[in-house]
Structure formats: C-alpha cells, structure tokens
Amino acid sequence: LRKKNLTPAVFEQVKDRKTSSGVTLKACINSGLVNTDSGVGVYAGDEETYKVFEPLFGPLIEDYHKGFKITDKHPSDMDESHLTAPNPDPEGKYILSTRIRVARNLRGYPLQPTNTLDGLKAIEKKVTESLATFEGELKGTYYPLQGMDEATAQKLIDDHFLFKKGDRFLEAAGINQAWPEGRGIFHDDAKTFLVWVNEEDQLRIISMQNGGDIGAVFARLCKAVNTMNKHFEFQHTENLGYLSSCPTNLGTGMRASVHIKIPNASAHADFKKICDEYHIQPRGIHGEHSETAGGVYDISNKRRLGLSEVQCVQDMFNGG
Ligand code: ADP
Ligand code: ARG
C-alpha cells in the first residue's frame, strides 16, 4: 500500500517533513523498505504523524478501510445488545475458538516507534497498577516478559495467548527496542480476558474463548473496555477514532476473529475474491504472517475504521 500511495508527487510534498517529536518519512516507511513482502509498509511514530504526513497516510488509510473517507467522522458502538451474531456452530464442528481484540494507546505518550524505555516502563506501571484493581470476570495477574522462562513464554505463544518475539516488521519500525523490558501479559485464570502490554501498541485488550459464542466474547470485551475507559484516557481523534501505530488498526482498533475449519472453501479458486467481497481477511493459525495447518484459518474483519465495533464484529460474522 505504501508503494502504491507514495507517488513521486506525494514524495516531493512530504520528503522533508518532520513531526515535533522528530518523526521523519524514512522512519514511517522503513519497515516496508526492509520487508518487501509487507502488505502495508508504514507505521506512525506519534499522533502528529497522521497530520504531517497526511498526503501519504490519508489515501493509504482510505485504501485499506474501504468505504472510509479521511474527512468522515468515525462512529462507535460497544453495546452488545446491538449485535446479531448467534453462535453459528453450536455443535462445535467448525469453529475452534473466537477472539476479539482492540488496540489502544495512552494519551501523553508517543506511539511505539518513538517510545522510550522510560515511557514503556511508565506505561507498564500505570496499566498494571490499574489492572490489579479489576474484579470478578476481569480479575487477573500480570506476568512481565522479563524474567519469564523461555518454555512458559513459548507455551503461551503456541496456545495463542501471547504475542511472538522478534517480529521483523516491528523490528524495522523500531518497536522492539529494549525487548523484553516493559512488556508483559495480564490475564485471568481462564485466559478469557487478556491485556498485552507494550507490543505493537501500548495495549491490546483481548476477549477470547473456545467455540463460536461470538456474543459472549463481545460482551466480555465491552465490559473490559468500558471499565478501562474509566481508568485511562486513550489517544483518539474525531475522524481517526482510536490511534494506533499501524494505520490498519485505526478507528475501532478491533479485530474480531474465529479459528475455523474450512479446508474446502480455502482451496477454492475464488477464496481470496470471496474474502474481499465480505471484507474479511484470512490469516494462518498462528496469526499474521503465519502459515495455516489442516485447513484451519483465522478469519477476521478487515476494516476497522469508519464503522462501529458492532459493525466490525458483524463483518466477521457475515463473512465467516
Ligand atoms: P493481532 O490479533 O493482534 O492482530 P495476530 O494475528 O498475531 O495479532 O494474533 C495474535 C494471536 O492470537 C495469535 O497467536 C493467533 O493465533 C491468536 N488468535 C487470533 N484469533 C484467534 C482465535 N479466534 N482463536 C484463538 N486464537 C486466536
Ligand atoms: N507492517 C506489516 C505489513 O505491512 C503488518 C501490517 C498490518 N498488521 C499489523 N500487525 N499492523 O505487512
């Protein structure tokens, strides 16, 4: 998307620009320059990046979040009673699990490519102190990455709960600095409510469980996010919604997915075309940039900006 949208004219317009915290064009596009198999290839270093480099980011955002115009206002709806998504597979024949996450960044800190170790640590402290007060279904424990033994970390990754280490796209965007300091995962005993701290975004708030009860997963996420809104102020603008370091995660910051067995559909010649038509994105069984196994795919909503959270989940439900 960067290659398509950074035309010679746009390049001339933005090549010498810089945000007040020093984010350059080179910093924004380095991940895609290093990783030529990128689908998107840009990251924003701070809130101002989206304004200062709008000649590049604006068209790219409209390209990814089909139907959204950069001048539009972004809507929000986290009322689970507005969702119509009854379990599509109550017998558990196809859907292994359901997961919905949102990305968030705290106001007052840069986005991750320009964050500092002090910033990461301050965020970790602030977030974990608040999470420690959560009760009931949201009660859990924080596990910092630093000091976690390899086997425990690897098991959490293999079981789909924890982010992976050494992502080359994040590395080239400057997001893996001082790893693993300041990073960690909070979760309840059942691992149905989880919060990733200081990965690609400062926070990833996650609700997940086995099976296809999308409504229950969404309801838990609504409860978690509404509780977190009382504790934190997140970076947010009227037209871009919640801000994120990657433009694909703007708006709702939401990716709602199912792990679903579709060996025949995925082998169909028109699989990609059908996914595009329904605004869904297939990923491998171990998440983005991973291969799949046994015809099980991670199917999720592709658009996250210009439509509400309820509509994002609805996109995944309709497509799946
Ligand atoms: P993100 O969800 O933040 O965009 P990834 O695509 O890397 O990032 O996914 C993160 C992890 O979540 C991976 O281990 C992936 O397999 C897991 N995951 C995603 N969707 C589901 C799901 N529906 N059920 C179980 N695990 C899932
Ligand atoms: N930068 C990577 C690419 O262009 C990932 C883009 C979307 N995913 C993400 N995790 N932000 O392929």
Side-chain angles (χ1 to χ4, degrees):
L1 288 184
R2 190 270 305 154
K3 194 169 173 182
K4 180 172 164 199
N5 292 288
L6 188 61
T7 59
V10 171
F11 178 74
E12 279 308 315
Q13 218 180 334
V14 300
K15 68 181 186 335
D16 297 320
R17 292 187 184 180
K18 229 184 215 186
T19 70
S20 46
S21 63
V23 176
T24 60
L25 176 64
K26 170 75 164 46
C28 295
I29 67 175
N30 194 57
S31 185
L33 295 180
V34 172
N35 300 289
T36 51
D37 56 341
S38 292
V40 183
V42 300
Y43 288 89
D46 57 11
E47 175 165 349
E48 240 188 279
T49 303
Y50 287 109
K51 276 227 153 58
V52 172
F53 296 98
E54 195 178 288
L56 166 63
F57 279 83
L60 186 149
I61 287 167
E62 291 180 354
D63 213 339
Y64 182 87
H65 301 279
K66 294 273 181 265
F68 176 78
K69 288 271 153 291
I70 206 73
T71 45
D72 288 351
K73 288 205 171 109
H74 171 75
S76 175
D77 183 359
M78 287 216 75
D79 181 339
E80 72 256 30
S81 70
H82 296 165
L83 181 71
T84 314
N87 188 341
D89 180 30
E91 288 173 33
K93 286 196 336 222
Y94 306 99
I95 300 180
L96 277 56
S97 52
T98 305
R99 173 181 184 266
I100 311 180
R101 59 83 164 158
V102 293
R104 292 287 186 273
N105 291 280
L106 301 182
R107 185 146 276 162
Y109 295 92
L111 293 169
Q112 298 299 59
T114 25
N115 210 348
T116 60
L117 180 56
D118 283 349
L120 295 175
K121 285 184 170 167
I123 291 161
E124 182 188 39
K125 183 166 184 297
K126 196 177 167 130
V127 168
T128 55
E129 280 175 3
S130 285
L131 288 173
T133 66
F134 284 20
E135 294 291 348
E137 202 185 6
L138 306 180
K139 188 178 169 61
T141 309
Y142 178 65
Y143 304 89
L145 237 56
Q146 194 164 33
M148 187 186 286
D149 69 84
E150 273 297 317
T152 306
Q154 195 54 50
K155 174 135 178 61
L156 283 170
I157 295 168
D158 293 345
D159 292 346
H160 309 287
F161 298 120
L162 179 62
F163 46 90
K164 57 187 185 293
K165 181 181 164 183
D167 181 280
R168 63 191 161 90
F169 300 88
L170 299 185
E171 180 67 35
I175 298 181
N176 290 343
Q177 52 146 331
W179 185 282
E181 288 188 72
R183 278 81 170 184
I185 182 171
F186 172 93
H187 63 77
D188 63 344
D189 286 344
K191 300 199 189 81
T192 52
F193 168 54
L194 308 94
V195 181
W196 290 359
V197 179
N198 285 325
E199 196 236 8
E200 176 176 329
D201 289 296
Q202 294 164 14
L203 299 180
R204 288 281 170 95
I205 307 165
I206 302 159
S207 168
M208 64 198 282
Q209 68 189 49
N210 287 336
D213 193 345
I214 300 166
V217 173
F218 186 57
R220 186 188 305 108
L221 185 81
C222 290
K223 191 170 165 188
V225 171
N226 293 332
T227 306
M228 294 190 78
N229 284 342
K230 293 191 195 122
H231 288 251
F232 308 108
E233 203 190 327
F234 295 119
Q235 295 183 36
H236 183 274
T237 71
E238 239 188 7
N239 67 330
L240 296 181
Y242 290 102
L243 299 187
S244 52
S245 63
C246 176
T248 63
N249 285 316
L250 290 166
T252 58
M254 176 173 282
R255 193 169 83 84
S257 65
V258 284
H259 274 178
I260 182 170
K261 266 186 242 166
I262 43 168
N264 296 333
S266 58
H268 195 281
D270 289 337
F271 181 54
K272 207 189 154 302
K273 203 172 129 217
I274 296 163
C275 288
D276 285 348
E277 217 167 278
Y278 282 92
H279 305 292
I280 53 172
Q281 182 183 58
R283 292 187 179 184
I285 189 71
H286 290 290
E288 196 172 28
H289 307 118
S290 74
E291 292 305 319
T292 205
V296 179
Y297 275 80
D298 167 332
I299 294 289
S300 63
N301 62 296
K302 184 163 182 225
R303 312 179 289 182
R304 319 194 206 292
L305 172 63
L307 70 178
S308 73
E309 290 83 354
V310 166
Q311 290 169 312
C312 285
V313 181
Q314 209 69 64
D315 266 5
M316 184 274 279
F317 176 82
N318 296 344

